[in-house]
């Protein structure tokens, strides 16, 4: 028995080809696994039910609201929020077990180094070279209710970083990557419009895209990830352009 208990929360829709790897990586660590599915038409729900009895099929209110629903169901000391296309590597599994067995845990939240894996390559630079806050004390924590790119707001206290990698198999193939990029751009447009953010015109949308590419590919050294690094930088630039074009169209009432 560990000194601290762990709830793992996952939201899903049509992830039958990826969800088992995710659940297998946390099955021996979690004290409870909570899955909220938003109407899968494949075998996602059946696969999840092999790992937990706490699977709920519900509607889709947006990423932030759905993750908050899952968090509301959690009962353990700590919560790990993981996506269906993510897997804890062995180093991170061991680091998590070690942390939960400490009598006094130093921090109230932890960032997990991301191992974004695309087209057979785990990226080490660019925007992929970052850590995401996914592990936190349950009591007092909440998610922002954003349509996309939601964040968790933990209780006050310091943040640490867990060892290992949170492997992120973000795209099934290039076509899926294009679809996902378009969806996220449009959701970002709606989010910014709802919050009253201004586009400041199409020329600035283009300049933002150019700056995004330069930031990821040059400043954050995405070029060291080779051809895949170039593809990723171009994709982020396109997403940023599309997001602000969508915002501009929403402002003009022409979306």
């Amino acid at each position: 028995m560990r000194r601290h208990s762990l709830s793992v929360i996952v939201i899903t829709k049509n992830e039958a080809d990826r969800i088992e790897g995710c659940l297998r990586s946390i099955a021996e660590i979690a004290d409870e696994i909570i899955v909220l599915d938003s109407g899968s038409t494949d075998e996602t729900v059946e696969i999840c039910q092999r790992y937990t009895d706490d699977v709920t099929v519900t509607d889709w209110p947006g990423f932030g609201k759905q993750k908050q629903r899952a968090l509301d169901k959690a009962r353990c000391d700590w919560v790990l929020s993981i996506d269906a296309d993510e897997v804890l590597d062995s180093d991170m599994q061991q680091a998590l077990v070690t942390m939960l067995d400490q009598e006094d845990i130093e921090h109230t939240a932890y960032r997990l180094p991301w191992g974004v894996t695309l087209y057979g390559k785990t990226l080490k630079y660019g925007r992929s070279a970052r850590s995401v806050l996914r592990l936190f004390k349950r009591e007092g924590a909440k998610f922002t209710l954003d349509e996309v790119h939601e964040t968790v707001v933990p209780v006050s206290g310091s943040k640490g970083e867990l060892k290992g990698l949170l492997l992120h198999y973000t795209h099934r193939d290039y076509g899926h990557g294009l679809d996902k990029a378009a969806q996220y751009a449009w959701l970002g447009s709606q989010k910014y419009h709802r919050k009253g953010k201004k586009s400041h015109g199409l020329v600035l949308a283009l300049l933002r895209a150019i700056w995004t590419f330069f930031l990821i590919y040059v400043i954050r050294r995405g070029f060291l990830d080779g051809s895949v690094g170039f593809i990723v930088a171009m994709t982020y630039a396109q997403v940023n352009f599309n997001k602000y074009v969508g915002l501009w169209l929403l402002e003009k009432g022409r979306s």
Side-chain angles (χ1 to χ4, degrees), residues 10-25:
V10 192
I11 63 173
T12 60
K13 184 175 182 180
N14 293 335
E15 295 285 356
D17 59 329
R18 305 191 288 185
I19 186 61
E20 189 147 23
C22 169
L23 296 176
R24 191 184 296 121
S25 76

Side-chain angles (χ1 to χ4, degrees), residues 2-3 10-11 23 28 70 74 82 107 134 136 142 145 147 158-159 204 213 234 246:
R2 295 187 300 266
R3 289 182 170 87
V10 192
I11 63 173
L23 296 176
E28 299 300 319
I82 190 169
H107 306 287
R134 297 291 190 81
F136 50 91
K142 62 182 180 180
L145 303 183
E147 296 89 334
S158 60
K159 299 179 182 65
L204 190 56
F213 177 84
M234 284 296 295

Side-chain angles (χ1 to χ4, degrees), residues 224-253:
L224 293 176
D225 283 322
S227 57
V228 178
F230 178 80
I231 293 170
V232 169
M234 284 296 295
T235 300
Y236 275 114
Q238 184 68 57
V239 168
N240 216 19
F241 177 76
N242 289 342
K243 179 170 60 179
Y244 280 95
V245 169
L247 178 59
W248 181 81
L249 290 169
L250 285 169
E251 290 170 352
K252 302 298 181 182

Side-chain angles (χ1 to χ4, degrees), residues 1-2 21 29 52 76 108-109 115 118 132-133 143 146 148 150 155 169 179 189 199 226-227 245:
M1 293 293 293
R2 295 187 300 266
I29 305 171
T52 177
C76 293
T108 58
L118 283 172
V132 287
L133 200 156
F143 281 93
D146 296 318
V148 68
E150 73 294 336
V155 294
Y169 300 96
D179 291 341
S189 301
S199 69
S227 57
V245 169

Side-chain angles (χ1 to χ4, degrees), residues 2 4-9 26 29-32 67 71 76-83 86 88 91-102 105-113 131-139 141-143 151-155 157-163 166:
R2 295 187 300 266
H4 303 273
S5 58
L6 178 70
S7 299
V8 176
I9 59 174
I26 51 90
I29 305 171
D31 295 282
E32 65 173 359
K67 288 192 177 182
L71 177 57
C76 293
D77 304 326
W78 285 76
V79 175
L80 170 66
S81 174
I82 190 169
D83 291 342
E86 295 174 335
L88 301 185
D91 290 337
M92 186 166 286
Q93 290 172 352
Q94 185 56 52
L96 181 53
V97 169
T98 300
M99 188 212 80
L100 292 171
D101 200 35
Q102 294 174 2
I105 297 178
E106 181 179 0
H107 306 287
T108 58
Y110 284 83
R111 296 186 178 277
L112 311 185
S131 300
V132 287
L133 200 156
R134 297 291 190 81
L135 179 65
F136 50 91
K137 291 188 72 172
R138 176 185 60 81
E139 189 171 356
K142 62 182 180 180
F143 281 93
T151 56
V152 65
V153 182
V155 294
S158 60
K159 299 179 182 65
E161 184 171 290
L162 216 60
K163 293 182 179 179
L166 176 64

Side-chain angles (χ1 to χ4, degrees), residues 181-201:
Q183 178 193 19
Y184 275 52
W186 179 232
L187 287 172
S189 301
Q190 296 172 75
K191 169 183 169 180
Y192 282 178
H193 186 61
R194 176 177 57 80
K195 292 187 171 185
K197 190 177 177 94
K198 300 302 181 182
S199 69
H200 301 294

